[in-house]
Amino acid sequence: EVQLVESGGGLGQPGRSLRLSCAASGFTFDDYAMHWVRLVPGKGLEWVSGISWNSDRRRYADSVKGRFTISRDNAKKSLFLQMNSLRIEDTALYYCVKDKYRSSWGEYFQHWGQGTLVSVSS
Amino acid sequence: DIQMTQSPSSLSASVGDRVTITCQASQDINNYLNWYQQKPGKAPKLLIYDASNLEAGVPSRFGGSGSGTHFTFTISSLQPEDLATYYCQQYDNFPRTFGQGTKLEIK
């Protein structure tokens, strides 16, 4: 069974940093692209960032480009999101998401974690 | 970025009703569209992919159609457990974008 468990969320101040982690199990982690998608209160779902299986491709939403960095450690079956220069509008529930197929690159978001809550406030 | 516009933003229907949600893309996205269901307090779930293909294990009362810029999601006979917010999502281009969601309530 695929399991994705996020951690690292919490209360952050504007301009500060947080690092999210996602521990994966139940599948061959280094076969799949992975993503972060957030649920913004009152606004809905927003794709944040994606990384290919071997880290050679990384993509970001314009709203986080230059501030967030996605990475992965295939040996530890883990996905990360380094969030710098936090803004109030980054407040959201952040989901770790797995692609449906080994060959996928952000087409189908099949498996989702339960999310980790990030709250940015002064 | 490709904008996805869903309508309605909310709707209330009775058990057994046929429910339809539409999603309009700001440019042609072929059939590169998915539909997700998010129940309260739960993670989203992929229901429909490539505009019309039912994900494994999803009840057959759910369906999707469309191509290009106009797409439709349908529940043929609404059940109480269908209380949720539904989102469309395009994968024609990065950034992947979602519609703003349709909150479905049961009368």
Side-chain angles (χ1 to χ4, degrees), chain A residues 64-83:
Chain A
V64 307
K65 201 174 293 182
R67 300 187 299 120
F68 290 10
T69 301
I70 192 171
S71 62
R72 64 190 295 162
D73 183 334
N74 286 345
K76 294 183 178 179
K77 300 182 181 181
S78 295
L79 177 71
F80 306 100
L81 187 68
Q82 179 66 42
M83 309 167 65

Side-chain angles (χ1 to χ4, degrees), chain B residues 41-67:
Chain B
K42 299 293 187 182
K45 176 184 178 181
L46 176 65
L47 294 183
I48 304 283
Y49 64 97
D50 295 342
S52 61
N53 294 316
L54 202 63
E55 179 72 350
V58 174
S60 59
R61 64 179 181 275
F62 295 100
S65 63
S67 184

